[in-house]
């Protein structure tokens, strides 16, 4: 049972995991592993980006657990918490997707026990850290200061969670890090964790498996800006300077890494300047989707080829535009995402607009009149698709709202024929009854597919039917995007 341990470090880590979860919900294949184990590392326990990603992961997990292992389909990949990968139930780690910092309710000065230090030690601390660093409350993370993060994140290296991870690491498992390079948590956490996992003198168990494990990372360079404000804690004008400094360090200090992916974009309309907490909740961005695809790409490499590295990757669009449609993506990317994301949109839209009122044979066979109103797992699916906080509809809407927008769909229309921008479904003029992709097209396909699908579980059958009919709809009516 090969596993991918996915370390999402800082706010960018959470946002990229959100996009990856959407890709996996759409049925994108993640080869060479049986399950993904996200481990989100962010000391800001109230971070808005992190908490809605956690809510999304929990929702996905409930749906997957009801569906079980399958060769294809929506929600085909197992996403597990760290504590669930072993039969050991001694409670040594919490059943959560987030690393437990134990509630750091203190300033960096207090964390260092500054007032108890000797005069010489205080002088050294003041040389390395500014007064703003020292007074910074750790409850909202490291506020763009990797020098602070590199000290506090040693708590991760010594933690029960990391020991549990190492104890359950097996030959064939892989590791991937997601972080930004221009902030505090990600820039500090990625090289620190990599160094400790690959250290020849590590005290972690399964050290040989860890050293030999295929290991990749995506490091996200600046792709957004923050509004300039007087006395702002984080100033986006410093992002490039921080990036250059971090890249200089990375050049000589990433031993043991087999593949490194770089992503960046020209900063777009500035986000509201929120250093942390519940207000730090940025709109989903194309760069985060591409970073999620770097994980898919990494998992496609055979182990032997990765070990011939290190491999370095950058990403380029087929053509540049402020609004990215499927046609702007390279062929390989289109082949991965176009059909599956379209299926997910068709499913989400049909589920919301038509499913509750479909009085048809398939609807009655699945007893949907009762299930949609009463069965928890059907309600959970509705949450995953339509939650205004983290659902599929919200994610697609946010992607389309940045200046560098990912807008392959017209989300304002209910016409299935017109939903893919730049690729409307063609209706043949000489076929009177050919309406392309319509409610009736899907309804008839659902009724026909229901007759031949012998799955006894109504929820599994519903997901299988919609995956099959949306796939046929795409291949029959849309074909190559």
């Amino acid at each position: 049972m090969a596993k991918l341990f996915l370390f999402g470090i800082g706010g960018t880590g959470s946002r990229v995991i959100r996009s990856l979860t959407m890709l996996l919900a759409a049925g994108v294949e993640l080869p060479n592993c049986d399950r993904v184990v996200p481990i989100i590392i962010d000391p800001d326990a109230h971070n808005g980006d992190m908490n809605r990603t956690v809510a999304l992961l929990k929702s996905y997990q409930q749906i997957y657990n009801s569906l079980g292992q399958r060769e294809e389909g929506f929600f085909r990949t197992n996403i597990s918490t760290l504590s669930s990968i072993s039969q050991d139930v001694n409670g040594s780690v919490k059943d959560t997707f987030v690393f437990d910092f134990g509630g750091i309710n203190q300033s960096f000065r207090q964390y260092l026990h500054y007032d108890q230090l000797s005069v010489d030690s205080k002088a050294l601390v003041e040389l390395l850290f500014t007064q703003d660093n020292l007074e910074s409350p750790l409850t909202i993370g490291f506020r763009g200061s990797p020098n602070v993060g590199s000290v506090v994140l040693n708590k991760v290296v010594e933690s029960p969670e990391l020991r549990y991870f190492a104890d359950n690491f097996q030959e064939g498992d892989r590791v991937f890090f997601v972080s930004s390079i221009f902030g505090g948590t990600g820039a500090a956490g990625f090289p620190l964790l990599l160094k400790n996992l690959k250290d020849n003198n590590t005290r972690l168990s399964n050290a040989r498996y860890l050293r030999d494990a295929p290991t990749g990372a995506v490091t996200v360079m600046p792709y957004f800006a923050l509004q300039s404000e007087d006395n702002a804690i984080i100033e986006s004008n410093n992002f490039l300077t921080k990036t250059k400094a971090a890249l200089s360090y990375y050049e000589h200090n990433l031993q043991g890494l087999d593949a490194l992916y770089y992503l960046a974009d020209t900063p777009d309309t500035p986000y509201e300047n929120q250093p942390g907490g519940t207000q730090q909740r940025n709109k989903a961005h194309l760069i985060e989707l591409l970073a999620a695809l770097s994980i898919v790409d990494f998992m496609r490499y055979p182990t032997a080829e990765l070990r011939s590295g290190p491999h370095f990757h950058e990403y380029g669009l087929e053509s540049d535009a402020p609004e990215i449609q499927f046609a702007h993506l390279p062929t390989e990317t289109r082949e991965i995402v176009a059909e599956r994301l379209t299926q997910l949109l068709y499913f989400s839209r049909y589920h919301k607009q038509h499913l509750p009122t479909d009085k048809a044979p398939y609807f009655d066979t699945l007893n949907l009149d009762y299930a949609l109103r009463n069965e928890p797992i059907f309600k959970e699916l509705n949450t995953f698709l339509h939650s205004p906080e983290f659902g599929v509809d919200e994610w697609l809407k946010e992607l389309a709202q940045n200046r560098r927008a990912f807008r392959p769909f017209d989300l304002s229309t209910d016409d299935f024929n017109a939903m893919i921008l730049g690729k409307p479904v063609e209706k043949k003029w000489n076929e009177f009854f050919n309406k392309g992709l319509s409610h009736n097209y899907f309804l008839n396909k659902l009724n026909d597919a229901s007759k031949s699908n012998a799955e006894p579980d109504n929820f599994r059958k519903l997901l299988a039917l919609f995956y099959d009919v949306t796939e046929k709809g795409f291949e029959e009516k849309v074909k190559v995007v």
Side-chain angles (χ1 to χ4, degrees):
M1 297 288 288
K3 302 177 290 295
L4 169 63
F5 290 94
L6 179 60
F7 289 89
I9 310 172
T12 299
S14 290
R15 293 191 292 273
V16 171
I17 289 176
R18 183 186 180 203
S19 283
L20 179 67
T21 305
M22 293 299 186
L23 292 176
L24 298 183
V28 171
E29 180 186 11
L30 201 63
N32 293 311
C33 75
D34 300 300
R35 68 170 74 186
V36 181
V37 185
I39 304 170
I40 297 175
I41 297 176
D42 195 331
D44 182 359
H46 301 291
N47 182 282
D49 287 323
M50 179 186 74
N51 285 321
R52 70 171 173 172
T53 295
V54 169
L56 180 73
L57 288 168
K58 289 179 178 178
S59 183
Y60 182 107
Q61 188 180 40
Q62 289 185 51
I63 294 169
Y64 176 87
N65 289 342
S66 291
L67 294 171
Q69 186 175 1
R70 291 149 299 127
E71 290 298 318
E72 64 175 12
F74 298 125
F75 305 92
R76 65 183 293 183
T77 300
N78 186 355
I79 298 180
S80 302
T81 58
L82 180 62
S83 69
S84 67
I85 65 175
S86 171
Q87 298 301 314
D88 178 15
V89 289
N90 60 13
S92 58
V93 296
K94 293 182 179 179
D95 185 27
T96 176
F97 291 104
V98 181
F99 174 84
D100 181 16
F101 277 88
I104 304 178
N105 298 311
Q106 55 190 167
S107 67
F108 186 50
R109 173 192 291 270
Q110 293 168 325
Y111 183 86
L112 294 175
H113 301 291
Y114 175 86
D115 293 336
Q116 284 77 52
L117 296 177
S118 67
V119 173
D120 290 344
S121 294
K122 286 181 177 178
L124 178 60
V125 168
E126 292 170 356
L127 180 66
L128 296 173
F129 303 101
T130 67
Q131 283 302 311
D132 283 343
N133 290 155
L134 291 172
E135 301 305 328
S136 174
L138 298 179
T139 50
I140 57 172
F142 309 130
R143 305 196 301 181
S145 301
N147 55 334
V148 174
S150 62
V151 174
V152 180
L153 287 173
N154 277 295
K155 186 180 180 73
V156 177
V157 176
E158 302 164 356
S159 68
E161 286 87 351
L162 201 67
R163 290 196 299 273
Y164 189 90
F165 152 76
D167 290 345
N168 290 280
F169 198 90
Q170 298 174 325
E171 187 174 15
D173 291 346
R174 298 189 182 196
V175 178
F176 198 92
F177 299 97
V178 181
S179 63
S180 70
I181 200 172
F182 56 95
T185 308
F190 159 46
L192 179 68
L193 281 169
L194 176 67
K195 178 178 181 293
N196 280 275
L197 296 188
K198 300 295 183 176
D199 188 350
N200 288 326
N201 298 314
T202 183
R203 291 179 291 176
L204 294 172
S205 57
N206 295 314
R208 181 171 64 85
Y209 292 159
L210 286 169
R211 285 195 299 271
D212 294 343
T215 303
V218 57
T219 185
V220 180
M221 296 183 285
Y223 67 102
F224 63 82
L226 299 174
Q227 295 173 359
S228 295
E229 299 177 2
D230 292 339
N231 301 316
I233 296 167
I234 301 175
E235 178 55 66
S236 56
N237 290 333
N238 297 327
F239 283 175
L240 286 178
T241 302
K242 292 181 179 180
T243 298
K244 290 178 181 179
L247 286 173
S248 177
Y249 178 81
Y250 285 10
E251 183 179 5
H252 303 290
N253 293 279
L254 297 181
Q255 287 78 18
L257 194 66
D258 299 303
L260 181 59
Y261 295 78
Y262 292 100
L263 283 167
D265 195 16
T266 304
D268 55 13
T269 304
Y271 291 152
E272 187 177 352
N273 199 321
Q274 294 289 346
T278 58
Q279 299 303 312
Q280 187 176 333
R281 204 182 81 162
N282 299 332
K283 292 192 292 286
H285 196 286
L286 172 63
I287 286 290
E288 296 151 12
L289 175 60
L290 297 178
L293 285 169
S294 74
I295 302 167
V296 177
D297 184 76
F298 171 75
M299 294 305 296
R300 289 183 162 197
Y301 275 88
T303 298
E305 189 170 349
L306 285 171
R307 285 176 175 160
S308 67
H311 304 271
F312 299 96
H313 305 270
E314 294 180 329
Y315 189 89
L317 296 169
E318 188 73 19
S319 56
D320 195 9
E323 285 194 355
I324 305 302
Q325 299 175 8
F326 287 134
H328 297 104
L329 302 176
T331 302
E332 184 178 1
T333 306
R334 287 202 305 274
E335 290 175 348
I336 295 172
V337 303
E339 182 171 3
R340 298 294 173 247
L341 287 182
T342 302
Q343 286 181 251
L344 186 62
L345 174 64
Y346 287 165
F347 177 37
S348 178
R349 190 57 56 89
Y350 194 101
H351 183 277
K352 187 173 186 177
Q353 299 292 343
H354 303 294
L355 185 66
T357 57
D358 266 353
K359 303 304 180 184
Y362 91 91
F363 189 94
D364 295 335
T365 299
L366 296 175
N367 196 22
L368 291 180
D369 188 48
Y370 174 85
L372 293 173
R373 289 183 289 108
N374 297 288
E375 294 190 19
I377 193 60
F378 285 84
K379 293 181 179 181
E380 192 61 52
L381 176 63
N382 184 73
T383 297
F384 189 95
L385 295 175
H386 310 305
S387 166
E389 293 297 312
F390 60 77
V392 171
D393 301 340
E394 176 66 17
W395 178 69
L396 290 172
K397 183 177 75 174
E398 289 176 14
L399 284 169
Q401 289 177 338
N402 294 292
R403 187 180 65 82
R404 174 80 72 188
F406 180 58
R407 194 166 176 262
F409 305 119
D410 182 354
L411 300 176
S412 67
T413 182
D414 292 328
D415 181 358
F416 291 103
N417 294 307
M419 284 183 185
I420 303 178
L421 289 171
K423 183 62 178 177
V425 175
E426 297 180 6
K427 307 173 192 176
K428 296 182 180 178
W429 66 271
N430 61 341
E431 294 184 14
F432 180 78
F433 293 104
N434 183 358
K435 304 298 183 183
L437 287 175
S438 64
H439 174 213
N440 283 336
Y441 171 89
F442 286 119
L443 186 64
N444 291 333
K445 292 288 186 184
L446 287 165
N447 286 328
D448 291 342
S450 179
K451 297 173 186 176
S452 59
N453 188 316
E455 168 60 55
D457 182 273
N458 287 344
F459 185 69
R460 287 198 293 268
K461 185 171 181 176
L462 177 72
L463 271 291
L465 291 180
F466 269 97
Y467 186 82
D468 288 344
V469 301
T470 55
E471 186 176 53
K472 286 175 181 171
F474 185 91
E475 293 175 354
E476 289 179 4
K477 303 297 183 179
V478 181
K479 297 181 182 178
V480 179
V481 176

